[in-house]
Amino acid sequence: MISEAMPRQAAQPEPVLRVEDLVVEYRLGKREVVQAVSGVSFEIYQGETLGLVGESGCGKSSAARAVMQLPAPTAGKVILNGVDLAALNNSDLRRQRKQFQMIFQDPISSLNPRRKVSDIVEMPLLVMGEGTPEERAKRVRDVLAAVGLDPEASLDRRPFQFSGGQCQRISIARALVSEPLMLICDEPVSALDVSIQAQIINLLQDMKERYHLTMLFISHDLSVVKVVCDRVAVMYLGRVCELADSETLYRQPAHPYTAALLSAIPEADPNRTPQPIAMKEGELPSATNPPPGCRFNTRCPRAREICTQVVPPLETIADRHTVACHFPLTAD
Ligand SMILES: Nc1ncnc2c1ncn2[C@@H]1O[C@H](COP(=O)(O)OP(=O)(O)O)[C@@H](O)[C@H]1O
Ligand code: SF4
Ligand SMILES: [Mg+2]
């Protein structure tokens, strides 16, 4: 008798990166503590790009450095491909860290000015002990061509002989040559002219498809993130206040802070709901003394008493859409 196959449960794939309750604090003298990241959690799946956005000083770079354990977070877990990085000894951690590559804001200062492009781009392969000299040379040429640089014209030159945009292409080549598990881009276009920004964003898009990249993409600019990211986490003063698929987040933001950030983008979708909202005037509160309750309460036009007393938990309001707000915005 032919038995019917058991219906198979669709297995949820393991994320490449799982971050749980990440806390980063910096001690300033005896009394003051900067609460840079206060309990951030997210997951990134194979081939996915997660955006991390929020104003300058909200903790994006601190979170990224903590993910790479440079330095290790004050608390929380970072699990890369099932391995808890905090539980590793130093040499195992060094090995795991090679699975990450980073692209920084300032392309020129992130490249060693004294080295030739061929050496800069080959370095990750040398560090990982990969390939013969001939194999490495081929990979360097291939990746330079992939990022839109002529290998023949670039290999023997040094970073100062290139423009800012071209230097960022070299950084991207260096990051991709070793085919890392995870690429972290920290404000990769913020230091570039607007016209060049679009070229680099397009390049990252192409690279994402070509190399099936898994990326954490950090920016203070929601309009930049929109093009590149599949999902977006919005941070405010050390906490994630909203996390959703890009399309949902831009079309139907539920957190007043996200809505206010989007309202400030002139080319944002005119059909977006709800209506634009403005933040109350005032400085970003200090991370050494964040407001109690919802950290956004001093700038939120919807704040009520409970917002100054009770921290709003991150709750699921729709499929793949979580929000931390006592009074989230609705479509109508
Ligand atoms: N090494 C450090 N020592 C003390 N405070 C820091 C340090 N790095 C960052 N901070 C503070 O932590 C907070 C978050 O900073 P950062 O992670 O750089 O934010 P972002 O990348 O979003 O601009 C800010 O208040 C910043 O001043
Ligand atoms: S919890 Fe209150 S203060 Fe915070 S975003 Fe929501 S309405 Fe505004
Ligand atoms: Mg930063």
Side-chain angles (χ1 to χ4, degrees), residues 218-232:
I218 296 170
S219 177
H220 66 277
D221 185 344
L222 265 168
S223 55
V224 165
V225 167
K226 186 178 184 184
V227 191
V228 188
C229 299
D230 303 299
R231 284 187 305 136
V232 178

Side-chain angles (χ1 to χ4, degrees), residues 241 254-257 293-308 310-312 323-329:
C241 54
H255 196 283
Y257 178 60
C294 172
R295 290 188 174 178
F296 187 52
N297 77 62
T298 57
R299 294 166 81 196
C300 180
R302 290 168 70 84
R304 299 194 217 159
E305 199 177 345
I306 187 179
C307 304
T308 62
V310 180
V311 177
V323 181
C325 175
H326 295 302
F327 307 104
L329 302 163

